[in-house]
Amino acid sequence: ETGVTQSPTHLIKTRGQQVTLRCSSQSGHNTVSWYQQALGQGPQFIFQYYREEENGRGNFPPRFSGLQFPNYSSELNVNALELDDSALYLCASSLDREAYGYTFGSGTRLTVV
Amino acid sequence: GEDVEQSLFLSVREGDSSVINCTYTDSSSTYLYWYKQEPGAGLQLLTYIFSNMDMKQDQRLTVLLNKKDKHLSLRIADTQTGDSAIYFCAERGGNTGKLIFGQGTTLQVKP
């Protein structure tokens, strides 16, 4: 049974650019959540996807968007990157949206210059 | 509102017990979690407790929940240098799948 895998592990982008981060859920998990963790802070909830539909969103602007695919893998897209978007982006999967167990990936470290 | 607070730093000697504390505000929380994060890594689930429980023990880890005071603690017995990391308390609110995390407590274990 594989865990949650995220790609890429590190990424450097220029302000104003767009970025796509990817996440493969743990086998059998149909729910994916994305979190942003700024340096020295706890993770902040961005949104959750359940069976390809958004199932809750945190306090992030619309330039943060996502997708979930039929195989339950997911993408996080961020448009018009700002310096403050520099953070560790974590993906977590769970068996379903009611499940209490979340498996986190190792994250993608995004640096915006 | 939704808020989770933790003290930022704890230093202990190897072999001592560590106690990390957390307070939360959402009375509808269903599950509360402790995660560990080592430098440059993702989050590792250490343990969780359901909101109708007072205590949970798992090997060296003991979680205490005081629902009246909305206070959660994690006790690590016989703390080892490998326990040095950042520990996050998190609550899962109500019917949502959203986790609300504290700022994290850095645990430093001195030999």
Side-chain angles (χ1 to χ4, degrees), chain A residues 35 37 42 97-100 102, chain B residues 31 33 37 48 92 97 99 102:
Chain A
Y35 290 81
Q37 186 180 16
R97 61 182 173 179
E98 299 298 326
Y100 57 82
Y102 301 84
Chain B
Y31 288 93
Y33 303 80
Q37 187 174 41
Y48 65 90
R92 177 182 162 169
L99 294 182

Side-chain angles (χ1 to χ4, degrees), chain B:
Chain B
E2 303 168 332
D3 195 20
V4 176
E5 291 193 358
Q6 303 177 236
S7 52
L8 295 182
F9 186 78
L10 176 66
S11 181
V12 300
R13 292 249 173 237
E14 192 173 19
D16 288 350
S17 291
S18 307
V19 179
I20 303 172
N21 294 299
C22 167
T23 57
Y24 61 97
T25 56
D26 187 355
S27 57
S28 67
S29 294
T30 52
Y31 288 93
L32 296 124
Y33 303 80
W34 286 102
Y35 282 89
K36 177 183 180 182
Q37 187 174 41
E38 298 187 61
L43 297 175
Q44 175 195 350
L45 176 65
L46 288 177
T47 188
Y48 65 90
I49 187 167
F50 188 48
S51 58
N52 68 355
M53 297 169 65
D54 298 323
M55 186 182 93
K56 181 177 181 181
Q57 190 154 359
D58 184 1
Q59 298 181 16
R60 291 191 297 125
L61 305 179
T62 303
V63 178
L64 294 178
L65 174 60
N66 181 329
K67 199 170 179 183
K68 174 177 169 289
D69 294 339
K70 299 190 185 72
H71 182 266
L72 183 74
S73 68
L74 173 70
R75 178 177 179 269
I76 305 172
D78 187 25
T79 313
Q80 303 297 305
T81 54
D83 294 325
S84 293
I86 302 175
Y87 290 79
F88 291 96
C89 167
E91 61 170 342
R92 177 182 162 169
N95 295 322
T96 74
K98 168 180 167 182
L99 294 182
I100 301 155
F101 287 86
Q103 266 192 296
T105 299
T106 299
L107 175 63
Q108 179 189 66
V109 183
K110 296 180 181 177

Side-chain angles (χ1 to χ4, degrees), chain A residues 82-105:
Chain A
E82 300 177 1
L83 298 180
D84 284 350
D85 295 333
S86 295
L88 180 67
Y89 288 85
L90 295 163
C91 169
S93 73
S94 57
L95 199 56
D96 62 46
R97 61 182 173 179
E98 299 298 326
Y100 57 82
Y102 301 84
T103 303
F104 279 81

